[in-house]
Amino acid sequence: MKDQLNYYQIPRDEWKNFYQEYIVPLSNQELMQIRSVNDQISLTDVQEIYTPLVHLLGLRLAAQKQLLAKQAGFLGIKPAHVPFLLGIAGSVAVGKSTIARLLQLMLQDIYPDKRVQLLTTDGFLYSNDELQRRHLLERKGFPESYDMAHLLSFTNDVKNGLPAKAPVYSHKIYDVIPGKYELVDDPDILIVEGINVLQLPSNQQLYVSDFFDFSIYVDAQEKLIKKWYLQRFEMLLDTAFQDPTNYYYPYAQGNRQAAIELAKKVWEDVNHPNLDNYILPTRNRADLILHKTENHLVNELFLRKY
């Protein structure tokens, strides 16, 4: 373990020894069901990386509960039920969704008496029609394309134990689904996953992460993320080939090389500047950084000291 200014730098071979008492009740088939398109993860990864991580989250969960109880005792009131919020940030195509689903599954297994919900911030994107009206369709994914005021008020309601509805986004149609919502009603643990969960919204005094009890940034070199993005794009074309309702269907039906060139242009015009200017600068706001190398292999972790 190496000391950096704000983080402990922990190689995989050291991290995996921190906690191994829990055996993950997962088969390879079950693991593949929660894996995102083009992501790679193994049962070895689950045991060596995510088992110690879930144990660490359990320590944070217990500490939060103890602090709330002591504070309530100081005030002479009954302790309130306050959900534990876990944020997961990082670039598109870096594997956030797989990690979020895996942690939800593992936390639910370890704490069967607790309700663990998962939410992505994609639903807080403005609809394509609204983005068009605001002349932001070409900036989709950038901070200004999200209704951050809505996301902040939603997160505030969740933290205060109030029922909250989150809009639902469909990657199949590449848009928010009108009139469809996911109800988040006083969970014990809420996992919030998205590229923007550590960002400061314009003209706001709060970060969404101000409500988090723990946050994770999934990191990798941009050249790797770009490769994963393009590989994922091609796989999406393959799955959309016979589905006319799929956003990718026209690209799947057309010239394959032209579609790939378009995806490369989207990376250079949208995903690269978004990562460079708005996502990557939030990395050092995370409590834990998971660094990936080739084949999505986590090779080291950075744990915030304080």
Side-chain angles (χ1 to χ4, degrees):
M1 182 190 300
K2 297 180 181 179
D3 269 0
Q4 294 205 339
L5 183 60
N6 297 320
Y7 289 89
Y8 297 112
Q9 181 179 357
I10 311 170
R12 179 189 182 110
D13 286 344
E14 186 173 350
W15 174 267
K16 71 181 183 181
N17 295 320
F18 287 151
Y19 186 83
Q20 288 297 324
E21 296 177 22
Y22 170 72
I23 302 299
V24 182
L26 273 178
S27 65
N28 269 313
Q29 183 178 3
E30 291 169 324
L31 186 58
M32 293 306 100
Q33 289 174 350
I34 64 172
R35 187 187 70 175
S36 296
V37 174
N38 194 46
D39 201 353
Q40 297 183 49
I41 191 169
S42 68
L43 291 176
T44 301
D45 296 327
V46 174
Q47 198 65 43
E48 294 184 353
I49 299 298
Y50 300 101
T51 294
L53 174 53
V54 169
H55 180 60
L56 176 62
L57 292 174
L59 296 178
R60 291 296 189 104
L61 185 65
Q64 180 223 38
K65 183 177 180 180
Q66 184 180 49
L67 177 61
L68 290 172
K70 288 184 176 181
Q71 180 172 277
F74 171 76
L75 296 172
I77 60 176
K78 182 180 178 182
H81 177 259
V82 180
F84 183 94
L85 263 61
L86 168 63
I88 302 179
S91 172
V92 298
V94 80
K96 301 183 304 300
S97 297
T98 298
I99 293 171
R101 288 191 289 267
L102 176 61
L103 291 178
Q104 181 187 24
L105 190 152
M106 294 177 70
L107 286 165
Q108 193 67 79
D109 183 75
I110 294 174
Y111 304 106
D113 60 325
K114 296 191 183 297
R115 187 160 171 250
V116 185
Q117 283 193 259
L118 168 61
L119 178 82
T120 70
T121 61
D122 293 338
F124 292 92
L125 281 161
Y126 289 114
S127 69
N128 288 347
D129 286 344
E130 181 63 18
L131 289 172
Q132 186 75 52
R133 188 186 72 79
R134 293 173 180 244
H135 307 289
L136 289 174
L137 198 54
E138 300 301 317
R139 301 274 296 174
K140 189 171 183 176
F142 284 83
E144 63 268 30
S145 66
Y146 287 87
D147 188 349
M148 292 299 289
H150 187 187
L151 178 56
L152 280 166
S153 64
F154 168 87
T155 312
N156 185 63
D157 286 345
V158 170
K159 204 66 175 174
N160 281 284
L162 302 173
K165 292 195 304 182
V168 175
Y169 186 88
S170 169
H171 287 277
K172 180 179 177 181
I173 65 171
Y174 197 61
D175 202 353
V176 177
I177 302 176
K180 187 171 182 180
Y181 297 90
E182 181 177 355
L183 179 64
V184 177
D185 190 4
D186 205 23
D188 296 291
I189 302 171
L190 177 65
I191 302 170
V192 183
E193 176 257 309
I195 64 174
N196 61 334
V197 298
L198 296 177
Q199 291 174 7
L200 178 64
S202 301
N203 303 317
Q204 297 287 343
Q205 300 302 311
L206 286 173
Y207 290 82
V208 176
S209 59
D210 287 339
F211 297 99
F212 292 160
D213 297 286
F214 196 83
S215 57
I216 299 169
Y217 185 95
V218 187
D219 191 30
Q221 291 183 348
E222 183 178 348
K223 65 179 182 180
L224 288 177
I225 304 174
K226 179 181 178 180
K227 181 175 74 171
W228 299 336
Y229 170 79
L230 294 174
Q231 288 173 342
R232 185 179 72 176
F233 179 79
E234 289 202 65
M235 292 178 73
L236 288 171
L237 293 186
D238 292 337
T239 59
F241 192 78
Q242 294 181 323
D243 183 2
T245 66
N246 194 298
Y247 172 80
Y248 293 94
Y249 178 77
Y251 303 105
Q253 291 291 321
N255 181 278
R256 173 61 67 102
Q257 190 55 42
I260 294 171
E261 292 303 317
L262 176 62
K264 290 179 180 178
K265 187 175 188 305
V266 169
W267 180 270
E268 295 304 325
D269 294 348
V270 178
N271 293 324
H272 165 70
N274 197 17
L275 173 61
D276 202 42
N277 296 324
Y278 300 106
I279 301 172
L280 190 57
T282 69
R283 178 175 57 189
N284 289 336
R285 302 197 72 246
D287 295 302
L288 180 72
I289 301 169
L290 294 177
H291 185 266
K292 288 185 171 185
T293 57
E294 289 282 357
N295 301 316
H296 287 268
L297 185 73
V298 177
N299 68 325
E300 59 183 350
L301 302 91
F302 297 82
L303 180 63
R304 182 175 290 280
K305 296 178 184 177
Y306 44 80

